[in-house]
Amino acid sequence: MITARPIELLAPAKDLNCGLEAVRHGADAVYIGAPRFGARAAAGNTVEDIRKLCDYAHIFNVRVYVALNTILKDDELKVAEHMIHQLYDAGADALIVQDMGITQLDIPPVPLHASTQADNATPGKVEFLHKAGFKRIVLARELTIDEIQTISKRVPEATLEAFIHGAICVSYSGRCYMSYALCGRSANRGECAQYCRLPYTLVDRENKTVIEDKHLLSLKDMNRSDDLEAMMLAGVSSFKIEGRLKDVSYVKNVTAYYRRRLDAVFAGNPAFYPSSAGRSSFTFDPRPEKSFNRGFTAYFLHGRDVDITSFDTPKSQGERIGTVKEIKGNSFTVAGLKPVHNGDGLVFFNLRGELEGFRVNRTEANRIFPQKMPALKPKMQLYRNFDHEFENKLAAPSAERKISVRIEWEDYPGGFMLTMTDETDARVTLARPFAKELARKPQDDNIRAQLAKLGNTPFEACETVVLMAENYFVPSSLLNDMRREAAEKLLSVRRMRYRRPYVKNGVYGSDASYPLRHLDYTANISNRKAEDFYKKHGVETMEPAFEETPRAGVPLMYTKHCLRYSMGWCPTLQNGKSPYKEPYYLVYKDKKLQLTFDCENCRMLVYDSK
């Protein structure tokens, strides 16, 4: 039997505006970067902006989580400690962290979530983190649904968070050192140079070219919208959208899309329900294919799938709209069902296999006139990665979120009373002395109409009840004054009733035992407080982080993506055999990376060949 539980839609926020729009478009929680030490260094936010986001989000019981998920150096710990106190005072509901040293700081009772950067890929690791005091564990993207279920059964008390949409790191998160090794920019410090999106030539031991100039480490984007209920049943309680570097139109569109998909699941399965209050309505039809995407994949959720890669381009393809039909002068026609509009951005793969784009100047029926005629050929596939009309809708106010209230109007011996009760049972009652007199005309309709005018408040009237003993005259001015005051007081009550989650003192000092006695550089230990954490939990020896002590001859990337499998050469799953000689190398300009294959753990390792 499944225990009923709340489900959270967790949306990203690059900045305050993105965060506010995420709430309006249906998020149950928002995650946003701290001023420093977030895994997206370019997406930091001021404490004051985080305070403003918390003030707005908490009206709807929406949580705000702050990403502070890089590894820290010893001289940064005091700065981080001070900042954590500021973030807590600003209203943050939790911190998303990678560095275990944070647990050893003098911090307020703010819950800690173990970032996916902490490499949360095994039942033993998740169980340890839960026992060590973490209130939530963000699972590795590579896990299958069966593996998620195994973790949930082993640690049923743990709150599990999983990604459902957005860009995918080809490496296990937290275990990629390529950027730091090749150019000094550490992914674990929020400065990834994205070597995984570059074009590589695959060569074998004899320097024979296998594939030339393809983006062989680039993956499609995640879309698990068809798997939400299955993931809930497997034990996931928080569904995370990737995108702290994405623009506000992406946040609006994708958040609204998953809000609708989750609500559809709730309608059919009462065991699950949203974790926040209010209902969002939209002025557009959410379509994830219209926002940045490299094509979609469920990744490894249902096991290994050959169709997870985006070898041809790391850029956004958008949505497929049809094929080139007839080319005539400076225009062409399209065989397809989707209309194209002036200002749209279209792309196609040219004869060299490169993604090329152009802007639509005007259209006549299905004939398209580009600003500059590209080198199209009949039967070429066309994609739209910028829908001008759709983006215009998103640029305008595109959603509002309202909390349902029931309003009761009644009389008492000395005047009138108004009671306003919201969907979470927050309630206020106002009594206003007033000399009553019988009215000549029925009053009920006007009373209902005036009380329902909740305007720019967070509330909307779902029911208005009039309970007067007689048909007393009630002036509209009185109704409006009492309605405004009741809405203001109800908003104050909601703010006072909001309760942030908290942790007890000493929660991270448990006697939980870490699953390993020795930790290598992949544990990303870069400060003494992190060392103290692992020692307390039974680790006997540990290596410093790669960023602290760079070393040769170790993997720079651990990835579930396997080029042998992509080529059909996997000896285990495909019974395949390569015509080329190993080892294989990836070559980009002066960079040469060697590939090895760990078939026992079904993963590929990437080394610097030097």
Side-chain angles (χ1 to χ4, degrees):
M1 182 178 178
I2 299 171
T3 303
R5 70 177 191 273
I7 298 297
E8 177 185 273
L9 175 59
L10 176 55
K14 176 175 64 175
D15 53 28
L16 173 60
N17 184 44
C18 284
L20 297 175
E21 292 299 345
V23 176
R24 292 186 186 108
H25 287 75
D28 299 304
V30 177
Y31 66 106
I32 188 169
R36 292 181 62 187
F37 311 128
R40 300 289 184 272
N45 292 272
T46 66
V47 171
E48 185 56 32
D49 276 356
I50 291 170
R51 184 190 307 278
K52 291 175 182 176
L53 177 57
C54 292
D55 287 346
Y56 181 72
H58 291 169
I59 293 171
F60 302 94
N61 293 349
V62 169
R63 307 288 195 194
V64 176
Y65 309 137
V66 180
L68 201 156
N69 55 340
T70 64
I71 58 174
L72 303 172
K73 298 178 181 292
D74 281 307
D75 60 1
E76 295 171 333
L77 292 174
K78 276 296 179 185
V79 178
E81 183 178 271
H82 176 68
M83 189 170 65
I84 290 170
H85 281 273
Q86 291 180 311
L87 293 168
Y88 184 72
D89 291 342
D93 294 290
L95 301 178
I96 306 168
V97 304
Q98 173 186 9
D99 196 315
M100 297 297 132
I102 289 174
T103 68
Q104 307 303 297
L105 301 178
D106 178 18
I107 59 175
V110 60
L112 298 183
H113 296 178
S115 169
T116 191
Q117 293 289 123
D119 189 31
N120 308 319
T122 65
K125 181 69 172 290
V126 173
E127 182 177 35
F128 165 74
L129 289 169
H130 175 68
K131 288 182 177 179
F134 283 84
K135 293 304 178 184
R136 177 179 298 185
I137 293 88
V138 187
L139 298 174
R141 292 172 173 89
E142 291 80 2
L143 296 178
T144 67
I145 203 157
D146 290 339
E147 288 170 333
I148 293 172
Q149 190 166 42
T150 298
I151 289 171
S152 179
K153 286 181 177 179
R154 179 160 167 178
V155 199
E157 305 86 6
T159 300
L160 303 180
E161 179 181 305
F163 282 90
I164 53 169
H165 196 93
I168 303 172
C169 290
V170 65
S171 176
Y172 281 89
S173 293
R175 304 191 75 181
C176 185
Y177 310 94
M178 187 182 297
S179 179
Y180 186 76
L182 299 184
C183 73
R185 290 173 53 181
S186 168
N188 284 313
R189 299 273 294 167
E191 300 170 336
C192 180
Q194 294 197 317
Y195 278 89
C196 55
R197 301 296 183 185
L198 294 176
Y200 291 95
T201 294
L202 180 66
V203 299
D204 72 355
R205 184 176 68 200
E206 298 177 341
N207 209 35
K208 291 181 179 178
T209 297
V210 182
I211 302 177
E212 188 172 7
D213 285 338
K214 291 292 183 180
H215 302 269
L216 297 175
L217 296 177
S218 182
L219 303 181
K220 291 182 176 180
D221 288 359
M222 184 182 288
N223 184 327
R224 291 174 169 174
S225 56
D226 291 333
D227 299 293
L228 300 177
E229 186 170 13
M231 293 177 73
M232 292 179 206
L233 294 170
V236 175
S237 294
S238 178
F239 292 94
K240 188 171 196 170
I241 299 167
E242 180 277 338
R244 279 202 297 120
L245 292 178
K246 295 295 194 344
D247 59 25
V248 69
S249 66
Y250 172 95
V251 172
K252 288 181 174 186
N253 183 31
V254 177
T255 304
Y257 175 73
Y258 280 94
R259 178 73 274 154
R260 283 189 173 176
R261 294 301 296 260
L262 285 172
D263 288 346
V265 174
F266 301 153
N269 191 336
F272 306 110
Y273 54 93
S275 64
S276 63
R279 182 182 66 86
S280 295
S281 56
F282 315 117
T283 63
F284 67 104
D285 182 24
R287 300 277 298 280
E289 67 273 17
K290 288 184 178 292
S291 290
F292 185 103
N293 73 86
R294 303 174 178 93
F296 290 125
T297 174
Y299 207 30
F300 292 99
L301 194 64
H302 303 292
R304 188 170 282 280
D305 180 3
V306 73
D307 190 27
I308 66 171
T309 58
S310 178
F311 286 169
D312 291 327
T313 180
K315 298 178 182 178
S316 178
Q317 289 181 220
E319 58 177 334
R320 185 175 176 275
I321 63 167
T323 58
V324 177
K325 187 176 180 182
E326 177 197 29
I327 300 172
K328 186 177 180 181
N330 64 343
S331 68
F332 63 95
T333 57
V334 177
L337 298 176
K338 295 182 179 178
V340 177
H341 306 107
N342 301 350
D344 284 356
L346 304 185
V347 295
F348 65 99
F349 288 98
N350 61 30
L351 296 178
R352 298 183 301 277
E354 301 165 340
L355 192 70
E356 189 175 328
F358 59 94
R359 184 76 68 181
V360 175
N361 187 41
R362 62 186 177 89
T363 62
E364 294 177 4
N366 68 335
R367 181 164 291 278
I368 297 172
F369 295 81
Q371 285 183 341
K372 182 180 179 181
M373 189 66 187
L376 294 170
K377 298 292 182 184
K379 297 185 179 179
M380 276 184 169
Q381 300 283 349
L382 277 177
Y383 303 84
R384 173 167 50 202
N385 63 4
F386 182 83
D387 187 323
H388 186 256
E389 288 193 359
F390 189 76
E391 291 295 329
N392 279 346
K393 290 179 181 178
L394 291 176
S398 52
E400 66 174 5
R401 184 165 181 165
K402 296 290 186 179
I403 299 167
S404 296
V405 294
R406 185 178 190 272
I407 302 174
E408 293 182 5
W409 178 268
E410 56 189 318
D411 68 290
Y412 72 99
F416 298 105
M417 286 196 303
L418 185 155
T419 299
M420 194 176 286
T421 308
D422 75 16
E423 61 188 64
T424 67
D425 289 328
R427 177 180 302 177
V428 296
T429 298
L430 302 180
R432 186 69 61 85
F434 196 84
K436 292 182 288 186
E437 58 183 69
L438 292 176
R440 298 177 181 177
K441 297 179 180 179
Q443 295 290 292
D444 286 16
D445 287 348
N446 184 58
I447 292 172
R448 292 190 186 94
Q450 297 301 323
L451 294 181
K453 292 179 179 179
L454 289 165
N456 293 326
T457 73
F459 308 111
E460 65 178 357
C462 63
E463 184 180 12
T464 305
V465 180
V466 180
L467 299 172
M468 292 195 300
E470 301 286 348
N471 183 39
Y472 293 119
F473 170 71
V474 183
S476 295
S477 58
L478 177 65
L479 293 167
N480 293 334
D481 285 347
M482 292 183 71
R483 182 201 67 234
R484 280 192 292 266
E485 185 179 351
E488 290 172 1
K489 289 186 178 298
L490 184 59
L491 184 56
S492 296
V493 168
R494 287 197 60 78
R495 293 188 187 281
M496 288 187 290
R497 290 180 82 214
Y498 183 78
R499 292 291 179 267
R500 280 194 288 170
Y502 73 98
V503 295
K504 297 178 181 178
N505 290 335
V507 68
Y508 303 109
S510 72
D511 58 359
S513 179
Y514 195 79
L516 301 173
R517 301 276 75 83
H518 171 72
L519 295 178
D520 65 13
Y521 70 102
T522 61
N524 301 324
I525 300 169
S526 60
N527 59 71
R528 292 182 180 179
K529 291 292 186 181
E531 290 179 16
D532 292 345
F533 172 85
Y534 287 112
K535 286 177 182 176
K536 286 181 180 179
H537 295 290
V539 176
E540 296 168 1
T541 60
M542 60 194 84
E543 296 178 2
F546 187 90
E547 289 83 354
E548 292 296 299
T549 309
R551 63 213 72 189
V554 298
L556 301 182
M557 179 186 289
Y558 297 78
T559 174
K560 192 80 171 173
H561 163 51
C562 177
L563 281 168
R564 259 201 323 201
Y565 186 84
S566 296
M567 299 299 128
W569 303 334
C570 174
T572 305
L573 300 176
Q574 297 166 318
N575 197 26
K577 187 175 182 180
S578 169
Y580 299 93
K581 295 182 180 180
E582 295 190 22
Y584 304 126
Y585 299 90
L586 295 176
V587 181
Y588 172 76
K589 295 183 178 180
D590 63 337
K591 310 296 184 186
K592 190 173 184 180
L593 306 169
Q594 181 177 333
L595 307 179
T596 65
F597 302 93
D598 177 8
C599 293
E600 182 179 352
N601 295 298
C602 200
R603 64 186 183 180
M604 182 174 74
L605 309 181
V606 183
Y607 294 78
D608 187 340
S609 67
K610 299 177 182 178

